[in-house]
Amino acid sequence: MQKPFFIVLLIAILGALAIYLLAPALNGAIAFFTGAIIASVVYSMLSKSTSMSADPDKPYTGPTMTLYVGNLPYRVHEGEVKALFGEYGPVNSVRLVRDRKTGRRKGFGFIEMSEAGAKKAMNKLNEFDFQERTLKVREAKSQDSDKAEANN
């Protein structure tokens, strides 16, 4: 957290020096204060533009969709699946299903990601060859709809 302060301070000093050289009649304190204000405005504009880029650690907060992915390789890891689907949009979570007794993966899982990215991923990754397996990608059915169908 200390880095932004020192960057603004350095820009303020350089700005004050430039203002003082361009207008030597100004008091040094006024030049520094003016430089600090200009530096703060520039820094805040730069930090806003960089914060708008997608941060992989922050979960996506817009409309999401959960995808079912079948025929996954048994040795695949969550990070590999996240990287594959992340090419199409922000991924909030990857859950690869395991057998309760053995702990081995069952070859399918669920990915929660942005709705627009999920639609692109369904179109591009269904029937896609991934680590010598042909993936099956569909929109996941909710457990509530499964229960409703069972009751009917």
Side-chain angles (χ1 to χ4, degrees), residues 92-104:
N92 280 357
S93 66
V94 175
R95 188 172 53 94
L96 302 180
V97 178
R98 294 177 178 263
D99 184 277
R100 289 183 185 179
K101 292 180 183 176
T102 65
R104 290 183 167 177

Side-chain angles (χ1 to χ4, degrees), residues 14 16 28 87 104:
L14 292 174
E87 294 177 20
R104 290 183 167 177

